[in-house]
Amino acid sequence: MPEDQQAERVRELVGAMSPLGARTVTSSDRVVDDLGYDSVAILELALALEVEFDLQAIAEDQAVDLLTVGDIEQLVGQLARKPA
Amino acid sequence: MTITTGPVSGEILDILDDPAPSRPAAGNTPDRSTLPGALALYARWEKGQWSVGDVRVERDRETWAALRPFAERELGDALTELEVGEVCVTRTLSALVDHAPTDDDRIYLCTQLADEGRHVRFFQEYLTTAAGIELDSALDEASAYGQLFEPQLVAATSRVRESGGDRGAWYEALVGYHLITEGVLAAAALRTTRVLAQRYGLHALHEGLGNVARDESRHLTYGLMAARRGVDDGEHRELIARCYLSGAELAARVMVNPHKKAITPVMTAALHARARQLTAQWQVGLDRAVRQLRLIGLPGLRDDVERSWSAAQRRALAEYRERWDTEHPVVLAA
């Protein structure tokens, strides 16, 4: 999947699963403060993203803080399995 | 951020949520009179009736069907554990009834047996009607309680029968049944599951679990009162302390559940959230195991319980790594 489509799909999922109700989100929206994500919602989102993009685990030192939707887009870009 | 595991909406679900009874009346000795007796608990039972039919579990069917995979698995697993536990106690409690120390104890325990039957009916109705989960032997096989704790409880209640009601065997079963199964494992599971039911708008589940929790509160209070009696008589103090320690160890293992592969998110933030969530649940169990000690007159056992719990938890996490060839999410996130 091209990167821009992938990022768009991430935004769709993050918006659809917002605990505040489904909404359109932008890359600069803050996951906790603007979209109401708590620990359970982050878990739900992470597992949905794993299924959607077949994500691989990364080393701890590659981890980034998930403050904004853009951070999630970037992380999914790193973790998504690339076709062989 | 963690899942809230305290009482829902600030309500007092059982005697351990109420700070008053566990407050020492003088010095370090709790006041035994704060624990109601079997007669008073019977009276509470008469006033606290509820019906599985009135909960109308079918009203949750649509909401359950719309749950996301994580919520569905968490709730499904928790309800399965509770159902397996309740079925186990309906099969074993009669040994305690038959050999109860007094008629008042026996009459109270009969009410508890009726409660346990009602709980089984509630969980089975909910699982099949609202959640669409088939009841079969696979549930038993997947249950940590069924695999790890039930054999111990069956053996303990069998010893009560085989000994013709030996009082030591009776107290041993009481500790495993009332204090560990109900006071630690079921109480912790009920809290966490009720919080999730409220979060996901499963109103029938939330209502039904509230009813179950109130019943369990009576059961636990009876267990605390009866164990306290055994501790105070001097003859059974050491036995109760020993059973409590081994029960707490087993409870720690059940809560880690090395037999089942845990949800382990690959995204670090989610992995940490999962680890915090599990650790908080385990902490509820340990807190309860420790807080009960004062009420049964064994406050000095606190350090031993904490040490035994931690050691059992470490062994269970090592067993998990051995079985699944990967670390448990709590270890990965540490």
Side-chain angles (χ1 to χ4, degrees):
Chain A
M1 185 186 290
E3 276 183 24
D4 53 344
Q5 274 183 33
Q6 185 171 277
E8 190 180 337
R9 181 65 187 134
V10 169
R11 287 193 295 275
E12 279 175 13
L13 271 174
V14 175
M17 295 179 70
S18 164
L20 303 179
R23 61 198 53 223
T24 302
V25 305
T26 66
S27 300
S28 59
D29 282 335
R30 290 168 300 176
V31 178
V32 174
D33 295 337
D34 297 331
L35 303 175
Y37 275 83
D38 60 10
S39 60
V40 177
I42 284 176
L43 262 169
E44 287 176 331
L45 174 65
L47 296 174
L49 290 168
E50 282 182 28
V51 172
E52 179 86 15
F53 299 106
D54 191 17
L55 302 183
Q56 296 174 298
I58 54 167
E60 183 70 26
D61 58 4
Q62 291 177 273
V64 291
D65 284 337
L66 297 183
L67 298 178
T68 66
V69 177
D71 292 335
I72 299 177
E73 293 168 27
Q74 188 188 336
L75 186 64
V76 168
Q78 286 176 24
L79 301 183
R81 284 178 203 272
K82 305 290 187 281
Chain B
M1 289 173 295
T2 57
I3 291 185
T4 305
T5 47
V8 177
S9 309
E11 67 192 288
I12 290 175
L13 286 180
D14 68 40
I15 199 162
L16 293 186
D17 295 323
D18 182 357
S22 57
R23 197 175 297 135
N28 290 322
T29 308
D31 183 359
R32 182 179 171 173
S33 68
T34 54
L35 291 172
L39 263 177
L41 291 169
Y42 173 83
R44 285 190 196 175
W45 174 79
E46 275 198 343
K47 291 177 188 159
Q49 298 298 315
W50 61 283
S51 134
V52 173
D54 287 347
V55 176
R56 294 180 294 114
V57 297
E58 65 278 3
R59 67 189 149 125
D60 278 0
R61 198 182 284 138
E62 270 185 41
T63 310
W64 184 283
L67 289 176
R68 297 198 172 98
F70 170 74
E72 188 179 0
R73 178 169 163 184
E74 282 288 277
L75 282 162
D77 286 353
L79 291 175
T80 298
E81 287 293 339
L82 287 164
E83 192 268 343
V84 168
E86 297 286 3
V87 168
C88 171
V89 293
T90 57
R91 289 174 182 158
T92 52
L93 181 61
S94 60
L96 289 180
V97 178
D98 290 345
H99 299 285
T102 69
D103 284 342
D104 283 347
D105 287 275
R106 183 174 303 107
I107 290 166
Y108 164 75
L109 286 166
C110 286
T111 71
Q112 188 171 329
L113 199 49
D115 288 341
E116 306 296 6
R118 182 163 41 197
H119 298 173
V120 170
R121 191 56 65 213
F122 169 69
F123 286 116
Q124 292 185 343
E125 283 279 317
Y126 197 89
L127 283 165
T128 55
T129 304
I133 295 172
E134 204 173 319
L135 300 171
D136 57 26
S137 58
L139 290 188
D140 284 342
E141 286 156 19
S143 159
Y145 186 86
Q147 293 294 311
L148 304 176
F149 206 100
E150 184 171 340
Q152 190 270 347
L153 198 57
V154 168
T157 49
S158 296
R159 280 195 290 277
V160 176
R161 284 197 190 290
E162 287 157 10
S163 66
D166 171 74
R167 195 55 62 223
W170 192 87
Y171 278 119
E172 186 184 348
L174 177 99
V175 169
Y177 196 128
H178 287 77
L179 302 187
I180 304 298
T181 298
E182 307 223 32
V184 176
L185 292 169
L190 281 169
R191 268 163 207 244
T192 307
T193 313
R194 251 189 122 210
V195 170
L196 289 175
Q198 189 171 43
R199 175 189 180 98
Y200 293 112
L202 296 163
H203 302 299
L205 182 58
H206 188 254
E207 182 183 326
L209 291 175
N211 293 334
V212 171
R214 272 188 295 279
D215 290 343
E216 299 288 357
S217 161
R218 275 194 311 278
H219 307 170
L220 171 61
T221 305
Y222 174 80
L224 293 166
M225 179 276 292
R228 180 65 194 251
R229 200 168 50 197
V231 167
D232 284 353
D233 76 12
E235 193 184 339
H236 299 103
R237 183 186 179 92
E238 291 307 315
L239 170 76
I240 290 171
R242 202 168 56 244
C243 294
Y244 197 88
L245 270 180
S246 63
E249 279 184 28
L250 198 47
R253 184 158 177 250
V254 168
M255 292 193 89
V256 172
N257 192 6
H259 287 201
K260 186 162 188 172
K261 186 91 185 278
I263 293 173
T264 308
V266 298
M267 288 172 66
T268 309
L271 174 66
H272 284 280
R274 179 63 176 160
R276 282 196 300 272
Q277 191 187 72
L278 291 172
T279 307
Q281 288 169 15
W282 298 349
Q283 190 60 43
V284 170
L286 174 58
D287 286 347
R288 294 189 65 87
V290 165
R291 285 160 69 199
Q292 289 181 156
L293 290 170
R294 186 170 286 286
L295 285 164
I296 62 173
L298 294 171
L301 206 61
R302 180 189 181 119
D303 289 348
D304 291 334
V305 167
E306 286 178 340
R307 267 195 302 274
S308 296
W309 184 282
S310 298
Q313 208 169 58
R314 282 195 301 275
R315 285 195 299 273
L317 289 168
E319 189 182 338
Y320 181 94
R321 183 178 59 238
E322 184 88 0
R323 177 179 281 258
W324 300 106
D325 198 24
T326 182
E327 296 286 3
H328 190 278
V330 166
V331 177
L332 279 175

